[in-house]
Amino acid sequence: MMKKRVLVAVLTASLACAAMAQETEGRGPVTNLPMPRFVSLKASEANVRRGPSLSHRVDWVYSLRGLPLRVTAEYGHWRRIEDRDGQGGWIHYSLLSGARTALIEAESVELRSRPDVDSNVVAVAKRGVVARIETCGETWCRIAKDGYEGWVHEDALWGVEPGEIIE
């Protein structure tokens, strides 16, 4: 019985390594979606595991619905993710959403009425706030949180690649 468990663990680890090697190819081997890519946490609580199966140890638990995460590898129903700090692991795909969100990285950010530094300030968001991304041009993103909407420079956000266009 012990040999069988070791063999399963070695096999799972080998397959996970193959999935990780594929991340550099630009497309996920399971979804054929771009790699890496941003997603958000659909669940209000999600276990992040050491490997792509329920038999792997839980390293952490995310508990912030909407948290932006970067998918870096795919294996079956599992996605290897990382957060803003580079921490991560494997999470079941059902706990993730394709809805785009961003984390405010600057100490505070002014949401503006237009994508222009001279436009009116409509709200201020503090570091750590998670907001929905509505659209992004080359340098500005329109975000929404708790009934407030406005434009912020993409440099103040984690959850969008530099120059990424989101429609």
Side-chain angles (χ1 to χ4, degrees):
M1 184 66 158
M2 182 62 161
K3 287 181 184 177
K4 190 175 187 179
R5 270 191 283 219
V6 170
L7 180 61
V8 168
V10 169
L11 211 72
T12 302
S14 297
L15 292 170
C17 287
M20 288 183 257
Q22 292 171 345
E23 76 184 65
T24 59
E25 295 177 13
R27 292 275 173 190
V30 177
T31 62
N32 200 35
L33 292 171
M35 290 287 235
R37 69 180 176 276
F38 283 101
V39 296
S40 59
L41 191 62
K42 184 185 336 182
S44 56
E45 190 172 281
N47 292 334
V48 180
R49 296 179 179 274
R50 222 169 247 190
S53 77
L54 292 173
S55 63
H56 284 87
R57 189 177 102 188
V58 174
D59 282 335
W60 14 67
V61 179
Y62 287 122
S63 58
L64 181 59
R65 179 183 222 124
L67 181 70
L69 299 166
R70 179 180 287 148
V71 175
T72 60
E74 300 177 341
Y75 175 73
H77 292 306
W78 296 87
R79 305 295 175 260
R80 190 176 69 188
I81 53 89
E82 60 184 41
D83 62 21
R84 182 244 175 264
D85 298 321
Q87 301 298 315
W90 291 88
I91 191 168
H92 195 269
Y93 82 106
S94 65
L95 301 172
L96 301 173
S97 168
R100 296 293 296 273
T101 60
L103 187 67
I104 305 295
E105 288 206 293
E107 216 38 60
S108 69
V109 169
E110 296 174 334
L111 280 69
R112 300 196 170 267
S113 59
R114 293 185 330 273
D116 179 354
V117 292
D118 295 325
S119 64
N120 294 333
V121 174
V122 295
V124 175
K126 300 288 185 188
R127 170 182 245 139
V129 166
V130 173
R132 184 180 74 250
I133 297 175
E134 295 186 337
T135 186
C136 285
E138 288 186 26
T139 56
W140 289 82
C141 293
R142 184 171 175 81
I143 63 171
K145 176 69 174 179
D146 295 336
Y148 295 97
E149 295 180 359
W151 292 90
V152 298
H153 201 273
E154 70 176 16
D155 293 347
L157 305 173
W158 189 84
V160 61
E161 296 291 345
E164 182 180 7
I165 308 281
I166 300 173
E167 296 177 345

